[in-house]
Amino acid sequence: MIGADVGTVAGIGEVGARISEDALEVCAAVDAILDFTTPASTVEFAGLAANARIVHVIGTTGLSAADEAAIAAAARHATIVKAGNMSLGVNLLVALTRKVAAALDADFDIELVEMHHRHKVDAPSGTALMLARAAADGRAADLEKVAVRTRDGHTGERRRGDIGMQSLRGGSVVGDHTVIFAGEGERIELTHIATDRGIFARGAVKAALWGRGRGPGLFSMADVLGV
């Protein structure tokens, strides 16, 4: 396949980018990298995008602090759009979570429940972390100080202001996320259910088109969607 046009191989006709043993050569010939891979690969792609001055759309989750720092450094030269979830619905859910958390005080306990297919390798999901961060931001809290990811044994009473996250894995579930605001005598639940992975692909393409010609920087899907 070396030397073949990428578009021809994909069955969509020539696009002017050819398969090469030189990754940078390929990146220089395209508009964007759409990346749903692994943390190590994503850091590598961010460097390539920075060198080629193109858009890098990141949907990879499970990134470490060092990975995040490397991506932020690459964003000085690349247009990077990074989100734990690329769907329109999820990003609206993030915005709603932030608003509800800001409107309700700590008398309402916040719990997040997410479920994915049995093959998912990281937990909590990137989307759950996005939602937890939005809830913490809404309450002007430090997520690292209030997040509770596991409960087992005699844990004592729930600490006021904590944000709980529970991860379920099984079957072929694409992605379910629920944010629960539990108060005395009432409960608010915000839920998003993904049934088709195509929503993530469509969101990623939308992000790439939005970023084309925009210039370097680190952006999110909230920027793309204006929410």
Side-chain angles (χ1 to χ4, degrees), residues 35-36 57-61 81-94 114-116 120 125-131 133 174-177 192-204 207 219-225 227:
D35 175 13
F36 295 78
V57 178
I58 300 175
T60 303
T61 57
V81 181
K82 184 172 76 67
N85 194 300
M86 293 287 166
S87 89
L88 171 61
V90 160
N91 284 280
L92 289 174
L93 178 60
V94 170
E114 57 98 347
M115 184 169 184
H116 285 82
K120 187 168 178 62
S125 69
T127 303
L129 291 171
M130 283 172 61
L131 292 164
R133 200 163 288 115
V174 174
D176 297 355
H177 294 85
H192 178 271
I193 298 173
T195 58
D196 175 10
R197 287 187 177 84
I199 63 175
F200 310 130
R202 288 192 292 274
F219 304 97
S220 70
M221 281 300 287
D223 296 310
V224 175
L225 300 172
V227 297

Side-chain angles (χ1 to χ4, degrees), residues 91-153:
N91 284 280
L92 289 174
L93 178 60
V94 170
L96 287 170
T97 297
R98 185 179 294 108
K99 286 184 177 294
V100 174
L104 300 175
D105 62 23
D107 285 341
F108 280 79
D109 300 320
I110 302 176
E111 293 285 324
L112 288 88
V113 180
E114 57 98 347
M115 184 169 184
H116 285 82
H117 52 89
R118 65 169 65 94
H119 303 293
K120 187 168 178 62
V121 297
D122 59 310
S125 69
T127 303
L129 291 171
M130 283 172 61
L131 292 164
R133 200 163 288 115
D137 289 347
R139 288 195 170 167
D142 182 347
L143 180 60
E144 298 306 315
K145 294 180 179 178
V146 300
V148 177
R149 299 193 180 196
T150 59
R151 295 189 182 99
D152 186 27

Side-chain angles (χ1 to χ4, degrees), residues 22-25 27-28 33 43-54 78:
D22 183 344
L24 183 56
E25 180 183 329
C27 291
I33 299 171
V43 169
E44 191 84 12
F45 290 140
L48 289 166
N51 277 309
R53 304 298 198 268
I54 59 173

